[in-house]
Amino acid sequence: QMTDLIHTEKDLVTSLKDYIKAEEDKLEQIKKWAEKLDRLTSTATKDPEGFVGHPVNAFKLMKRLNTEWSELENLVLKDMSDGVKHKSFLTVEDCFELGKVAYTEADYYHTELWMEQALRQLDEGEVSTIDKVSVLDYLSYAVYQQGDLDKALLLTKKLLELDPEHQRANGNLKYFEYIMAKEKDVNKSASDDRPDQKTTPKKKGVAVDYLPERQKYEMLCRGEGIKMTPRRQKKLFCRYHDGNRNPKFILAPAKQEDEWDKPRIIRFHDIISDAEIEIVKDLAKPRLRRATISNPLTGDLETVHYRISKSAWLSGYENPVVSRINMRIQDLTGLDVSTAEELQVANYGVGGQYEPHFDFARKDEPDAFKELGTGNRIATWLFYMSDVSAGGATVFPEVGASVWPKKGTAVFWYNLFASGEGDYSTRHAACPVLVGNKWVSNKWLHERGQEFRRPCTLSELE
């Protein structure tokens, strides 16, 4: 009977070899994954800010750290990238997951965008574990939630062509058709009660091209802004500016360019050096914290979804470079910076933005800067300390102006008229950064100390 054990041991050896082969295959897969990741990290560490400045790279990094590394022992390795900065792509699964995240947050606008992208890639033939039915299920409901009943109905019918037994889609179809029929009845009733159009005089001078601020803001961020008329453009100039015969700028005047006329927005070129920028960034980096706003009701500082950035404050007392920058602003604007706020340094990563807002305090916010004791914010000076590959413009929706980041330049505008009244046309926004990394620093100058530098006028709008 012991001879049987010899055959049993032979079987065990065979099983052991099979196990070794399986482990070697698994290890080979892990090695390949590690090699890909090694190439990726080698590229990323050469320019970390530039690498994560690409939104797809940033998303993939977070995805790997949150899911793929934890699934490594099961070899569930998905969506690996070769790590070439501008050749990163989102798969159908990626788009679908992002759409689901937006859906769970009731952000149906972005749910629609991501699900449409997933559907587009499926239509183009991309092989995926996600099917069109799943995508259409989310997409149709997201469209409905935004009020586009016709499109929601069309998408639901498309879903049912693929899966006629889909229970939720069948229920939604009946509901959408019921709502549409009800709306037609209401519209017909209103039409019957309306006077004959021939006897109704047409109104003249109605602005048919009016757009809500949100649409203006998004158009300007896409570079589709309102264009200035040629007559107004002719009044914009470039010039050398000596700061009203300031000794520092007589021999080396600053380069000045008109960006917009009303409100007057001026850009200064080559006004901060690369070396100064690096010092300011190095000083700010250890202090960067999520930017906050002051709650108009409670006065408390809080983070909000419409301001996504990190910021830090630098005093002129702590570094000669900051002090020199402050004096440069004073020399070129003619305004006293001793009552200004400290230099604020802000960093916007991918998706970083600040939706339309005013820099000055309105009449319904009389205590906004009470603790400073320096009055309202009379003017804004904004340094651009980096170029931005895509996005990141400073836009003024009220007037249609777009100012695009250019490293080493700065823009300046008055928030208040000389009378002290707020200029509501200065309402502005920082557009989302789409690709890259945006660094800016700004100085808010206040009313106190400007009494003889910018005298008041009697007219409210001057």
Side-chain angles (χ1 to χ4, degrees), residues 262-264 358 360 414-417 421-427:
K262 293 181 181 180
R264 192 181 183 209
F358 297 102
F360 65 91
Y414 280 102
N415 297 305
L416 307 179
F417 293 111
E421 290 294 317
D423 183 352
Y424 284 79
S425 68
T426 61
R427 185 169 171 83

Side-chain angles (χ1 to χ4, degrees), residues 54 150 258 266 277 288 300 331 371 386 395 413 420 432 456:
H54 193 293
D150 290 332
D258 294 332
I266 300 170
I277 287 172
L288 287 175
D300 297 333
D331 293 336
E371 72 280 4
S386 68
V395 299
W413 68 85
C456 292

Side-chain angles (χ1 to χ4, degrees), residues 305-323:
H305 71 277
Y306 55 83
R307 187 181 189 186
I308 309 297
S309 65
K310 288 189 172 183
S311 60
W313 299 85
L314 303 181
S315 168
Y317 298 108
E318 61 185 293
N319 191 281
V321 170
V322 179
S323 178

Side-chain angles (χ1 to χ4, degrees), residues 290-296 300-309 353-355:
R290 174 71 186 271
T292 58
I293 62 104
S294 177
N295 187 307
D300 297 333
L301 294 176
E302 57 188 25
T303 59
V304 288
H305 71 277
Y306 55 83
R307 187 181 189 186
I308 309 297
S309 65
Q353 51 134 9
Y354 192 178
E355 293 185 11

Side-chain angles (χ1 to χ4, degrees), residues 8-61:
T8 300
E9 187 176 44
K10 181 174 176 59
D11 291 339
L12 287 171
V13 171
T14 302
S15 297
L16 182 61
K17 286 182 177 179
D18 290 341
Y19 168 76
I20 292 170
K21 180 67 169 61
E23 288 298 308
E24 285 176 342
D25 290 343
K26 186 182 292 185
L27 187 61
E28 188 61 33
Q29 291 182 58
I30 295 173
K31 283 181 179 178
K32 288 179 180 178
W33 187 79
E35 287 169 2
K36 287 182 181 180
L37 197 59
D38 187 42
R39 291 195 298 272
L40 180 65
T41 53
S42 295
T43 302
T45 51
K46 290 176 183 175
D47 180 15
E49 284 194 11
F51 183 82
V52 296
H54 193 293
V56 176
N57 289 336
F59 169 73
K60 297 260 189 183
L61 173 63

